[in-house]
Amino acid sequence: MPKANTLRIVEAQRQRQLIAKKDQNYGPSTVYLQVLGSGAKGVPNTLYLCTDQKRYLFNCGESTQRLAHEHKVKLTKLDHIFITSKTWKNIGGLPGLSLTLQDVGVPNITLHGPVGLDELYKATKRFVIMKEMNVTMAPCSPTEDFVDNVMSVKYVILRPDTILKPDLQPRAKKQKVVENNTDKVLEEFIHDDIDYYRPERSAPIKGNKPKFRISPERGSLKKKEEKALRDFEGKFHSTVAYICTLKKKLGSLDLEKCVEKGVKPGPMLGQLKNGQDVMLPDGTLVLSKDVKTPDDPGPVFIVLEVPDISYLKEEEFALHFDNGVNPPENLPTVVVHFTPPHVFHHPTYQAFLTMFGESTRHLVLNEQNTCLGSEAVHRTQNKLHLLDADIFPLLRDVSLPAVWDNSPPSDDNPARASWMDEMKNRIALALFQNIMTMEETSKSEGDADENYKSNVDFIAGRTLTMFHLRPKKELDRSAEPKLHIQDYIKETMDEEGFAQSLEQYREQVDKINSAKTYVKNDYPKVIFLGTGSCIPSKTRNTSAIVLQVDESRSMLLDCGEGTFGQLVRFFGPKRVNGFLKTLKAIYISHLHADHHIGLIGLLQARRAALKDLGPHDLDEPVHLLAPGQIVTWLSLYDQQFERIREEFNLIPNQSLLEPKVNLPETDMTPAILAGIGVQRITTCLVSHCPNAFGVAVELKGHKITYSGDTIPCKELVDLGKNSTLLIHEATMEDELADEARTKMHSTTSQAIDIGRQMNAKFTVLTHFSQRYARLPRLSADVLRDSTRVGIAFDNMQIRMKDLEVLPLMYGPLQIMFAEHCVNMELKAANRARQRERRADTSPSPPAGKVTFTDTQTTQTDARTDTKNTQTDKRTDTQATQTDFTTDTQTTQTFIKIPNRNTNQLNTKINKITLETGDQCKNDEEKKNNR
């Protein structure tokens, strides 16, 4: 969410404007297209145009910012975003990306695309707060080109032959379900003007019933909706193609030839470089072409999406066909296709592509590709897989090629070498099995000639595929991500003490298992898809948890951005359809974007999966358990972008409160509970933001409680009494309790204490600030008494019988992520010294006083966390070097980790402390000498 530090943003904007002003007088010398998202299932189809001056984005689906963060794609120079069509596949990442752009100081963003595209920001204004950045809509007219110092863009508006909308035709059976239930709920909640980033600073009173505003005109909503759909009908059914021409680059002036021609230093040199002929004082005419290299005419590239063959209008691109009439500079270097596979393979479309000639190459970004683009998730999962292969299974994403070194290992430690061989063999076997089960899906993506029987030169896009346009025109795949599995294993096993700690963990697990009576019971199962707060990082996505009731039924707890992509990675692109068929309910805890912005993409994916599996499942909407006010957002999207109303049956969380608040025909009926596979679902209001809920799900023999986002809350304790499992947010460490309270979040110890109060058998912590991207920092008290506490990771699955082994993992995890733990301890030491200094120089505030910064306090959490994560090395090193010069020995004592499994980690901390202190002393001496 937007940061409260307005001065920092203003300064970033000022610096950005200075750079832009400097660059506006000349064209770019380096230009290339870079694929960010390949368009594969669960991945955005996103393309960057990178220059040495500016950046441009073409389409922005869910997880765009996560891929950009992982692959260090800079956002600070982005000014313009081009959207081909108003579908979630193309715009689902705009809300989150806009907040990130605002944070890095981008003052203005211009959207290019179909009319009404900017309505997305009006629809999301309750949970996407844009105060420091302006979003404007460019007038995309075929008669007026967009021009700047980098390129000119011609808009081509594509419409079908008929604009009648198939979805407007009556669907009697489905409409009956929606009209009898969801429409009436819409009437109760549609008038939502709540600020969801106004913190709820006091716990709600038990039994306090929400008040709902009821529309005076019953049935008027449907009429208004139909009118809106008709009014926007022509706008809905258009896509925009972009014909982009780079500004020409002037040739280089040959000064030696200028001297030979008698041209003296002065303005004549600039005139010659700009292509103007000059007359010398003696009357000699000097031609520009004689004293400089030829100009580089701006290459042309085209970006288009044709959702249906009826949209294709060949005549709009006739000036760029290789027909013997058009000049060579008009022929496009590359055409980028966001067109879906069923249209791309259509004979008419294939014939259209041949018209550009053999010199034009074609970059394809659609669901036929398979590259999911993230190496970081595999790196973390392979490391955790060493710890427990069942709880941390290998991902079924085999779209990234694995690099293997078959040379014999050189290790003077035979035991370690033997252990490494065992681990490598296990992972190689599992990887081979995944490849075999997904052979059809991962078929030769990179070899386009096998996929497309044509003379046209096709390029299947992968993340970081680059096509250079200047100075050279060439394809570059060298930066595409690859898996280095052996390196992941080796760097983990080489951590001093990890092998011994792992052996101890295995012995403890075997002892626990041997004392149990074996009963095969894999359900219920909990799968964590997103365990980070507010914005996704490369290792922790935003909130989403799967509760698998049994083989045929499951529900989802929260649905942050990129949730469907996480499902694809975990289950695989083929098996994910089978999972989506089992998805009976989706629970949304509150209306902050990081908990529900992935909902639309998941609903659409579920619809596509049911369609693929068979028509008999198409009439089964998923039950949506959410704050009733969510219909404001969903209905606006349904009216102005794509039809989604038929995909869900809304059951407001308010109707699941105890005592129950009765709403028309929305109570959780026994039939609905049986369909989900649970016995009871109840909610309570929690203290975070308006309409924030906790939930308890009761199954046969088990009770699972999920906090959502909240500060410690008595209502949640009462709701979750005697739970088998409490899943509780633990956004911050204990030393940041004041900050957590300000932002209405819990610390780790507070979350654990809630588990004790409700007598939960086990507590699993989640929703960590992105500053704890690998491992949260637990206090000494927690480490000494953590027999019922586990740490959640993305792509971690647990059965109820696995819960008692989770507390045993923290020791090996500390060594596995030793460098991260060291950095956290150093930062904690720095904070402690800063507090001491402030205490010495300023009076203490009145006891018990907590200061809030109004509505933006809750919004600042993850943006601050992200900045901390991105600048750890720079900031921590500077601060640490300064602080350690004062008291190195004190710091060594302070940051000892009180855990019997982490002696090696303490040794590493002390070593780094001493080295840092010595370095700082040397730097100080050099400074004094200067």
Side-chain angles (χ1 to χ4, degrees), residues 370-374 378 394-402 427-445 462 481 483 485 568-574:
T370 63
C371 179
L372 301 187
S374 176
H378 287 274
L394 292 177
L395 302 178
R396 293 187 178 275
D397 162 29
V398 295
S399 62
L400 298 183
I427 289 187
L429 177 60
L431 184 64
F432 175 76
Q433 291 172 342
N434 282 352
I435 293 173
M436 293 301 292
T437 57
M438 296 177 53
E439 187 176 3
E440 295 181 3
T441 306
S442 56
K443 186 193 299 182
S444 189
E445 176 196 324
R462 300 178 64 86
L483 301 184
I485 298 176
V568 174
R569 289 188 179 93
F570 189 86
F571 290 101
K574 282 290 184 182

Side-chain angles (χ1 to χ4, degrees), residues 508-518 801-802 805:
Q508 291 173 311
V509 171
D510 290 342
K511 184 177 180 180
I512 291 173
N513 291 335
S514 63
K516 291 181 179 178
T517 303
Y518 176 76
K801 63 181 181 181
D802 297 326
V805 307

Side-chain angles (χ1 to χ4, degrees), residues 759-799:
N759 195 33
K761 291 184 178 179
F762 291 95
T763 299
V764 173
L765 307 179
T766 187
H767 194 270
F768 302 113
S769 162
Q770 297 295 1
R771 71 188 77 184
Y772 315 115
R774 291 173 178 81
L775 197 65
R777 181 172 180 262
L778 300 184
S779 67
D781 292 338
V782 172
L783 291 172
R784 283 192 292 266
D785 182 22
S786 58
T787 57
R788 300 193 300 175
V789 180
I791 306 297
F793 290 86
D794 283 19
N795 304 303
M796 164 178 151
Q797 65 177 11
I798 53 174
R799 300 158 296 183

Side-chain angles (χ1 to χ4, degrees), residues 708-761:
D709 287 4
T710 182
I711 60 175
C713 178
K714 181 180 183 300
E715 285 68 24
L716 185 68
V717 173
D718 295 338
L719 180 74
K721 278 293 184 184
N722 301 316
S723 292
T724 307
L725 171 63
L726 167 65
I727 302 172
H728 201 291
E729 73 119 295
T731 307
M732 298 183 188
E733 62 189 90
D734 293 348
E735 292 180 8
L736 301 178
D738 290 343
E739 182 179 348
R741 170 69 191 188
T742 300
K743 298 174 180 177
M744 305 304 287
H745 285 295
S746 298
T747 66
T748 52
S749 290
Q750 289 171 348
I752 294 169
D753 186 58
I754 291 294
R756 292 194 189 103
Q757 291 182 44
M758 69 169 58
N759 195 33
K761 291 184 178 179

Side-chain angles (χ1 to χ4, degrees), residues 36 63-73 372-379 400 463-464 481-483 488 536-540 569 870:
L36 193 54
S63 299
T64 292
Q65 63 170 332
R66 188 182 191 196
L67 288 171
H69 171 64
E70 175 177 348
H71 298 295
K72 297 179 175 57
V73 176
L372 301 187
S374 176
E375 179 200 0
V377 294
H378 287 274
R379 182 190 189 96
L400 298 183
T463 296
L464 300 189
K482 299 177 178 62
L483 301 184
Y488 310 153
S537 71
K538 62 183 181 180
T539 52
R540 291 188 185 272
R569 289 188 179 93
Q870 294 173 344

Side-chain angles (χ1 to χ4, degrees), residues 305-535:
E305 177 184 1
V306 180
D308 185 83
I309 200 63
S310 62
Y311 284 69
L312 184 61
K313 303 293 183 287
E314 292 95 332
E315 63 274 11
E316 297 285 355
F317 305 91
L319 293 177
H320 303 277
F321 291 156
D322 187 6
N323 54 12
V325 177
N326 293 326
E329 58 267 24
N330 278 19
L331 303 184
T333 302
V334 63
V335 179
V336 182
H337 301 271
F338 292 108
T339 301
H342 73 277
V343 178
F344 190 88
H345 293 288
H346 194 283
T348 303
Y349 198 86
Q350 290 290 304
F352 162 67
L353 299 186
T354 61
M355 297 178 184
F356 292 105
E358 296 183 358
S359 63
T360 298
R361 308 190 74 175
H362 297 268
L363 176 61
V364 184
L365 300 178
N366 61 28
E367 285 198 2
Q368 184 158 323
N369 295 334
T370 63
C371 179
L372 301 187
S374 176
E375 179 200 0
V377 294
H378 287 274
R379 182 190 189 96
T380 300
Q381 196 71 4
N382 276 278
K383 286 172 172 284
L384 294 172
H385 184 78
L386 296 173
L387 190 58
D388 195 302
D390 294 326
I391 294 176
F392 302 106
L394 292 177
L395 302 178
R396 293 187 178 275
D397 162 29
V398 295
S399 62
L400 298 183
V403 178
W404 293 90
D405 181 7
N406 293 321
S407 59
S410 56
D411 198 326
D412 55 359
N413 187 330
R416 181 179 300 177
S418 175
W419 185 264
M420 284 287 293
D421 289 340
E422 178 188 344
M423 291 297 102
K424 285 187 286 188
N425 291 337
R426 282 177 52 196
I427 289 187
L429 177 60
L431 184 64
F432 175 76
Q433 291 172 342
N434 282 352
I435 293 173
M436 293 301 292
T437 57
M438 296 177 53
E439 187 176 3
E440 295 181 3
T441 306
S442 56
K443 186 193 299 182
S444 189
E445 176 196 324
D447 192 351
D449 290 336
E450 293 186 14
N451 292 330
Y452 308 105
K453 302 299 181 181
S454 170
N455 293 327
V456 180
D457 186 6
F458 295 104
I459 305 166
R462 300 178 64 86
T463 296
L464 300 189
T465 297
M466 290 191 289
F467 196 97
H468 295 273
L469 299 172
R470 181 179 284 168
K472 297 180 180 180
K473 299 176 183 178
E474 61 181 4
L475 175 68
D476 181 4
R477 290 188 178 273
S478 61
E480 293 176 359
K482 299 177 178 62
L483 301 184
H484 302 272
I485 298 176
Q486 287 171 308
D487 293 342
Y488 310 153
I489 303 170
K490 187 176 187 302
E491 65 188 30
T492 302
M493 296 301 300
D494 284 350
E495 286 287 354
E496 185 178 356
F498 178 77
Q500 295 87 337
S501 182
L502 182 58
E503 287 287 358
Q504 293 175 8
Y505 166 76
R506 294 262 174 110
E507 291 174 0
Q508 291 173 311
V509 171
D510 290 342
K511 184 177 180 180
I512 291 173
N513 291 335
S514 63
K516 291 181 179 178
T517 303
Y518 176 76
V519 178
K520 185 177 182 180
N521 187 9
D522 291 335
Y523 299 97
K525 182 188 295 182
V526 178
I527 302 172
F528 292 89
L529 300 176
T531 58
S533 68
C534 210
I535 69 169

Side-chain angles (χ1 to χ4, degrees), residues 18-57:
L18 290 175
I19 295 173
K21 185 176 180 179
K22 180 180 177 182
D23 291 341
Q24 66 184 2
N25 296 324
Y26 58 92
S29 58
T30 302
V31 184
Y32 60 90
L33 294 168
Q34 184 179 52
V35 175
L36 193 54
S38 68
K41 182 184 290 189
V43 177
N45 48 356
T46 306
L47 181 74
Y48 250 84
L49 174 63
C50 303
T51 77
D52 48 6
Q53 298 178 5
K54 296 181 179 179
R55 305 284 193 274
Y56 306 83
L57 192 67

